[in-house]
Amino acid sequence: MNATVKGPRWWQGATLYQIYVRSWRDTDADGYGDLPGVIAGLDYLAWLGVDAIWLSPTMPSPDEDWGYDVGDYLGVHPDLGTLADMDKLIAEAGQRGIGVVLDLVPNHTSSAHPWFIDARSGPGSAHRDYYVWADPVKGEGEAGGGPPNNWLDATGAPAWTLDDASGQYYLHNFLPSQPDLNWWEPRVREEFREILRFWFNRGVAGFRIDVAHGLYHDTQLRDNPPLAPERDSRLEGRFGQKPVYSSNRPETHDVYRDWRRLADGYSPPRLLLGESWVADFAALASYYGQDDELDLAFNFPFLFAGFDAGAISGVVGETLAHLPSGACPVWTASNHDVSRFPTRWCDGDEGKTRLALLVLATLPGSLMLYYGDEIAMTDVPVPAPLRRDKMTARRKDYRDAARTPMQWDASPSAGFTAEGVTPWLPFGDNASRNVAAQREEQGSTLHLCRDLIALRRAVFGGQVVGYERLPSPPGVWAYRSGPLVVTANFTDRPVSVPGPSGEALLATDPVAGAGAHLGPWRGRIARVS
Ligand code: GLC
C-alpha cells in the first residue's frame, strides 16, 4: 500500500451531489426511487456538471431508520436494486466522469444484522464483544437494576436496552434497533477494513461516513455532564446533556488514520468524507488530522449558521483559521436530516436561494449540494399520518419534510414515478419548481447553478484556493476566493459597493452584474484583473 498521497485530489474544488435514493427516481413503479433511477438521472447530472454523487444508504436494511440500520454491509437493498445494478451505476457514472460515493454506517448495525443476532444469543457467543454490553447499575430498590449510566439516545430515551435473556444492557446511541458496535474490539476494525476494500475494489469513489464522531465510547462508562439549557441544540448536545463520554472520543482518530492509508492506496485515491457532528472548529479540524485522517469533514456550525453576512462569514473565517494547512473544507447547507436551506435560510424566497447558491459555490474547497437545491426545492409539509421517519415523526423538525421526491416536471407524478403510483412521501409543489421547466428557461435557478458549477470547475478544479475577507458595508459580505471577487448583499435594501474591478463573470441575476449598486439579496462574481 502506498504512503499517504499528497498534492491535488479529485474532490478539491469539486461539486458533489447528495442523492436520497428513495426519492430520486422510481423505475419499477413501487413508489420508491431505486438504483436504475439513479442511472436514468446520470445524463442530467453530467449536464449539471457534478463530479461525484453520494448515495444515501444502499445496503440491505429493515429500514427502521431508512438504511441507517444496516443488515448486510456487502449487499444492495432489494428495494433499490441488485449488486449488478450498483456495478452498472459505477460504470455508467464513470463514463460520464462522475464518482459514486456510498454511505457507510460504522457506529452501529441493525439489530437484525447476523452479528447482533449471534451476540444476543448469549455472553459466550462469537460476536458478543462486537457490541457494547454492561450490567445493570448495582443498588437496592429503585436505584438498582437500571441502565449502567445516564447516556441518552437520539430520541432522548436511555441509550441502553435490557436484554432479558442475559440480564445485560446493550448500548444504542440511536434507536434500540441500532445497537452500537464496540470499536474497542479488534475484530470490528478488521471487519470494516474488509468492507472498505470490498467496495473500493468495485470502484466506489469513497464513503460518506455516518456518525463519524461516534464509534468509540468511554470504557468506564462515566456519566455525561449536564448541558446548560441555552446550549441545548443539535450541535453541542441535546436533552440537557453534553455527550462527552459517548461520542467524539480521542481513540476514533486512529481508525481514520488506518482507513486513510487504505483509501490512499487506491488510484485515484478514495474519498473519506465524515459526518462530523461537532460544535467547535478545533474538534472539526481534528478529524483532518495532519492530513492523514478524513479528507473532508462536514461543517455543521456552517449549516446551522444564521443566513446573514456576519454569521456566515464568521463561521467561514473560523473554519479556515482552524483547518490544518492543505485541508479541504466542505460546504453544505442541506441534507436528509435537516430542513432544506431554501426554506431554513431563505423562507422559500428564490432570490435569497440564488444568493446562497452563489456563495456556496464560490467558497474554497468542496461543495456538496443536496438533490433539489439546484431548483430551489423547499421543505414539503408532510401530514403526520404520511410521515415515514420513525425517529422524528413526532418532532416539529421531522426529517421527512426534506426527503420528498425530486421534482422532475409538472406532471401529476412529478416525473418521479409512473402515473397513478402513490409516492412513498408526498410531492411538493412540483408545478412551480421542477427540473424540466427550469431547463427550458435560461434565467432559471437551475441554469444559474449549472453556470456556478462550471465556473467552479474552471477556476477551482483540483485545488483549494486562498480566501480573504474584503472590507464591505454592513450586511454585505465581500471576499476574494482564488482569482474571484465575490460581493453578496444580505440585506433587504440596495447597497453601494465598488463596481466590479475586474471582469464581471456571473451574478444572481442580470441587473446585479454591474454598477455601483447591488440590489437586496443580490450577489456577483468578478475575476480579479
Ligand atoms: C446520521 C444520519 C441519520 C441517521 C443517523 C443514525 O446522522 O445522517 O439520517 O438517522 O446517522 O444512523
Side-chain angles (χ1 to χ4, degrees):
M1 206 174 298
N2 300 343
T4 303
V5 177
K6 301 288 174 193
R9 286 161 227 161
W10 60 263
W11 49 86
Q12 294 180 340
T15 303
L16 316 175
Y17 185 99
Q18 181 189 354
I19 292 181
Y20 197 78
V21 179
R22 283 177 187 274
S23 291
W24 177 251
R25 190 175 280 206
D26 171 22
T27 60
D28 59 359
D30 65 355
Y32 294 97
D34 43 47
L35 292 184
V38 178
I39 297 173
L42 286 173
D43 283 335
Y44 166 68
L45 294 166
W47 173 84
L48 186 59
V50 308
D51 298 287
I53 49 178
W54 149 34
L55 307 181
S56 57
T58 47
M59 295 163 188
S61 162
D63 292 325
E64 292 290 314
D65 186 15
W66 296 109
Y68 287 102
D69 46 325
V70 176
D72 170 11
Y73 288 91
L74 306 181
V76 168
H77 197 305
D79 282 3
L80 307 181
T82 62
L83 206 49
D85 291 327
M86 182 63 87
D87 288 341
K88 185 166 179 229
L89 167 60
I90 293 166
E92 294 231 358
Q95 283 159 19
R96 292 164 178 83
I98 297 174
V100 177
V101 173
L102 299 187
D103 215 314
L104 182 69
V105 187
N107 182 70
H108 46 267
T109 68
S110 160
S111 53
H113 193 291
W115 297 338
F116 191 70
I117 293 174
D118 180 52
R120 219 176 193 176
S121 71
S125 63
H127 296 89
R128 186 73 173 182
D129 291 341
Y130 275 37
Y131 296 88
V132 185
W133 299 93
D135 292 330
V137 79
K138 294 198 174 51
E140 294 300 315
E142 277 202 8
N149 64 19
N150 73 348
W151 298 354
L152 299 175
D153 74 12
T155 69
W160 299 93
T161 289
L162 184 65
D163 169 49
D164 288 326
S166 64
Q168 284 197 306
Y169 283 88
Y170 67 86
L171 175 67
H172 50 87
N173 273 303
F174 291 87
L175 298 173
S177 52
Q178 294 170 298
D180 269 47
L181 281 162
N182 173 21
W183 276 85
W184 292 98
E185 166 58 49
R187 288 176 299 160
V188 168
R189 271 209 186 209
E190 201 38 61
E191 296 277 7
F192 273 85
R193 283 196 195 104
E194 283 305 315
I195 294 163
L196 257 64
R197 286 192 200 105
F198 175 85
W199 291 107
F200 289 164
N201 290 342
R202 286 198 112 79
V204 310
F207 280 111
R208 176 265 188 186
I209 302 158
D210 189 64
V211 195
H213 54 289
L215 274 55
Y216 277 84
H217 63 280
D218 176 45
T219 43
Q220 295 174 52
L221 304 183
R222 282 172 278 191
D223 275 353
N224 279 328
L227 180 69
E230 70 275 11
R231 319 286 314 177
D232 205 307
S233 70
R234 293 178 76 176
L235 271 179
E236 297 199 44
R238 302 201 73 194
F239 314 114
Q241 214 174 81
K242 220 173 145 80
V244 171
Y245 293 113
S246 49
S247 77
N248 197 26
R249 304 298 300 161
E251 295 80 12
T252 309
H253 295 277
D254 194 50
V255 174
Y256 299 138
R257 281 191 285 272
D258 184 30
W259 290 7
R260 177 66 178 273
R261 283 190 294 273
L262 206 153
D264 278 353
Y266 285 81
S267 178
R270 304 308 200 240
L271 168 65
L272 298 176
L273 158 61
E275 186 205 20
S276 36
W277 202 297
V278 287
D280 67 285
F281 300 102
L284 178 66
S286 75
Y287 284 97
Y288 288 84
Q290 301 300 314
D291 195 10
D292 61 354
E293 296 189 29
L294 300 181
D295 301 296
L296 301 176
F298 274 135
N299 187 336
F300 286 93
F302 175 80
L303 186 146
F304 287 120
F307 192 56
D308 62 80
I312 299 212
S313 66
V315 169
V316 168
E318 286 280 329
T319 303
L320 298 175
H322 280 84
L323 290 196
S325 105
C328 182
V330 55
W331 311 103
T332 192
S334 300
N335 69 33
H336 63 291
D337 291 329
V338 298
S339 164
R340 289 173 174 275
F341 81 78
T343 297
R344 182 169 34 82
W345 274 354
C346 308
D347 273 332
D349 180 310
E350 202 159 342
K352 290 183 184 175
T353 301
R354 292 164 77 100
L355 181 70
L357 286 169
L358 181 135
V359 164
L360 281 162
T362 52
L363 293 174
S366 306
L367 167 65
M368 177 69 81
L369 293 173
Y370 185 49
Y371 78 99
D373 282 353
E374 73 274 30
I375 54 166
M377 197 166 143
T378 51
D379 288 350
V380 175
V382 179
L386 298 184
R387 293 185 196 156
R388 307 297 302 269
D389 176 36
K390 292 188 182 132
M391 204 186 286
T392 66
R394 281 192 291 275
R395 266 178 20 203
K396 228 172 80 221
D397 60 344
Y398 60 93
R399 300 186 294 189
D400 287 326
R403 297 178 176 182
T404 59
M406 181 62 165
Q407 296 167 194
W408 291 102
D409 62 34
S411 71
S413 64
F416 165 74
T417 186
E419 286 270 343
V421 172
T422 306
W424 81 297
L425 283 171
F427 298 125
D429 183 4
N430 57 309
S432 70
R433 289 183 191 171
N434 68 67
V435 171
Q438 293 197 28
R439 257 184 106 152
E440 288 290 304
E441 190 200 328
Q442 279 305 316
S444 66
T445 299
L446 177 59
H447 274 275
L448 171 68
C449 189
R450 180 172 184 249
D451 291 347
L452 287 165
I453 292 172
L455 178 65
R456 282 176 63 70
R457 178 174 283 173
V459 177
F460 293 171
Q463 50 180 326
V464 182
V465 297
Y467 165 92
E468 182 194 356
R469 188 165 183 190
L470 302 173
S472 52
V476 175
W477 180 18
Y479 54 93
R480 195 186 54 73
S481 199
L484 305 181
V485 172
V486 179
T487 314
N489 178 6
F490 282 78
T491 74
D492 289 325
R493 34 172 221 288
V495 288
S496 303
V497 288
S501 57
E503 180 196 356
L505 290 180
L506 208 53
T508 46
D509 58 303
V511 284
H517 282 88
L518 200 52
W521 304 101
R522 299 298 202 296
R524 67 186 177 206
I525 310 168
R527 184 192 288 270
V528 185
S529 44

